[in-house]
Amino acid sequence: MCDIVKNNHANYYLLLLLGEFFLEVNMLDCALFCFNESIKKHSKNPTSWRDKGIVLKELNLYPESLDAFSKSLKLNGLDPITWNYKGAVYNLIGKYDSALKCFDKCLSIDPNSVPAIVNKLISYFNLGNIDNSLKYCEFALKLDSTNCHVWDNYATFLFHANRLEESLNAYNHALISCPKNITLLKNKLILLFNMSNWEDVLIFSDEILNINNEWNWVEEYKKLASEKLNN
C-alpha cells in the first residue's frame, strides 16, 4: 500500500487517511511520508501537521515534533488534542513548566481530558509537587475510575509521600481492573517489600514469576522474604 501511494498522485485527504492508517499499525516511515505529501498538497490543514507531529514524537524527533504541533496550532488553536501532545513532548524533554501551560490550554478547551490531566500530574511530579500530583490523580480517577495507569501513578505518588497503606490500597484498586498487569504487580511487590509484608512478598513474587521468570530481582525478593519469615 505504501508503494502504491508513493507511485500515485492521491489527494491530500486520502494521503491524510492513509497516513493515519500507517500510524495506527506503527509503520512510521510510511505515515510520515503520507503526512508530508498531504501537507505539500494542502499546507493549511491542521490535522496533517498534528499527525506529523505525533509521528515525529514517536520517532523521538522532539524539536521537529514541537515545530509541527506549533504549525498545527497556528491553524487551529482550539484543538485540545494538539495542545496535549505538545505538552507531552515538553514533558519528555524536561520542560515541565512549558508542558503545564500546554495542558492548561488543553483543559481550558476540554476540562475533562483525562490524557491531559494524566500528563499534567506527571509534570507536577517531576517538578517535585507531590500534592498537586495527587490532586490531579484523584481528579482523573473521578472521570475514569478503571484507568490502571492513573491508579499506578496515584499509588506511586502516595508511596513517595510516605503514605504506604494508602499506596497499597491504590494498587489493590488498580489490580481489580487489571489483575494481570505486570507493571502493577511489580510495583506492588516493591511496595510490599518496603513495608516488610513478607508473606505477601512471597505470594506476589510467585505471581510475577509465573508471568516473567527472567527477573532476577524478583527471585532475590522472594529469597529475602523467605529468610525473614524463617528467622
Side-chain angles (χ1 to χ4, degrees):
M1 189 184 293
C2 195
D3 288 339
I4 291 169
V5 173
K6 289 179 179 179
N7 293 320
N8 288 274
H9 298 286
N11 65 36
Y12 89 91
Y13 189 63
L14 178 58
L15 285 161
L16 174 61
L17 293 178
L18 287 169
E20 289 177 344
F21 166 77
F22 289 130
L23 176 59
E24 183 70 23
V25 298
N26 204 39
M27 295 177 65
L28 299 182
D29 289 340
C30 287
L32 186 58
F33 172 84
C34 287
F35 296 140
N36 280 332
E37 290 299 304
S38 179
I39 289 167
K40 286 180 185 178
K41 294 177 183 295
H42 183 20
S43 63
K44 302 296 184 183
N45 184 341
T47 305
S48 297
W49 283 109
R50 181 192 72 195
D51 289 349
K52 178 179 177 177
I54 294 170
V55 174
L56 292 167
K57 170 183 174 290
E58 294 302 310
L59 291 170
N60 301 325
L61 298 171
Y62 300 135
E64 295 90 339
S65 177
L66 288 172
D67 181 64
F69 289 138
S70 294
K71 288 175 178 174
S72 178
L73 290 167
K74 283 183 180 179
L75 297 167
N76 179 15
L78 295 177
D79 179 21
I81 296 172
T82 308
W83 281 113
N84 177 56
Y85 270 110
K86 187 175 182 180
V89 174
Y90 277 129
N91 264 354
L92 288 169
I93 62 177
K95 293 187 175 182
Y96 303 115
D97 289 323
S98 296
L100 286 172
K101 291 177 183 177
C102 292
F103 302 136
D104 285 341
K105 184 65 177 179
C106 174
L107 292 167
S108 72
I109 302 164
D110 180 5
N112 294 331
S113 171
V114 173
I117 295 166
V118 171
N119 284 327
K120 187 172 183 177
L121 64 88
I122 291 170
S123 300
Y124 276 124
F125 179 72
N126 283 295
L127 287 168
N129 192 330
I130 300 293
D131 289 340
N132 270 342
S133 296
L134 290 169
K135 182 178 77 172
Y136 281 97
C137 278
E138 290 160 4
F139 182 26
L141 289 170
K142 285 180 181 178
L143 297 171
D144 182 4
S145 62
T146 63
N147 191 315
C148 296
H149 178 60
V150 178
W151 277 113
D152 187 31
N153 279 322
Y154 189 42
T156 299
F157 301 156
L158 287 166
F159 175 78
H160 281 276
N162 203 35
R163 293 160 60 178
L164 302 187
E165 290 293 341
E166 292 173 84
S167 178
L168 182 59
N169 186 51
Y171 280 127
N172 290 337
H173 274 289
L175 287 165
I176 291 171
S177 300
C178 306
K180 296 300 180 182
N181 185 299
I182 191 68
T183 300
L184 290 170
L185 290 169
K186 177 194 74 173
N187 289 341
K188 182 175 177 180
L189 175 62
I190 293 169
L191 173 63
L192 290 168
F193 190 86
N194 278 276
M195 295 175 71
S196 302
N197 288 1
W198 306 122
E199 290 183 2
D200 286 336
V201 168
L202 288 177
I203 293 169
F204 273 87
S205 294
D206 285 336
E207 192 165 346
I208 291 171
L209 291 169
N210 285 334
I211 300 171
N212 186 336
N213 60 9
E214 297 181 356
W215 285 352
N216 293 331
W217 67 270
V218 178
E219 289 281 8
E220 285 297 316
Y221 273 26
K222 183 178 177 180
K223 179 182 176 182
L224 288 168
S226 181
E227 290 173 356
K228 292 288 186 180
L229 287 170
N230 291 326
N231 285 341

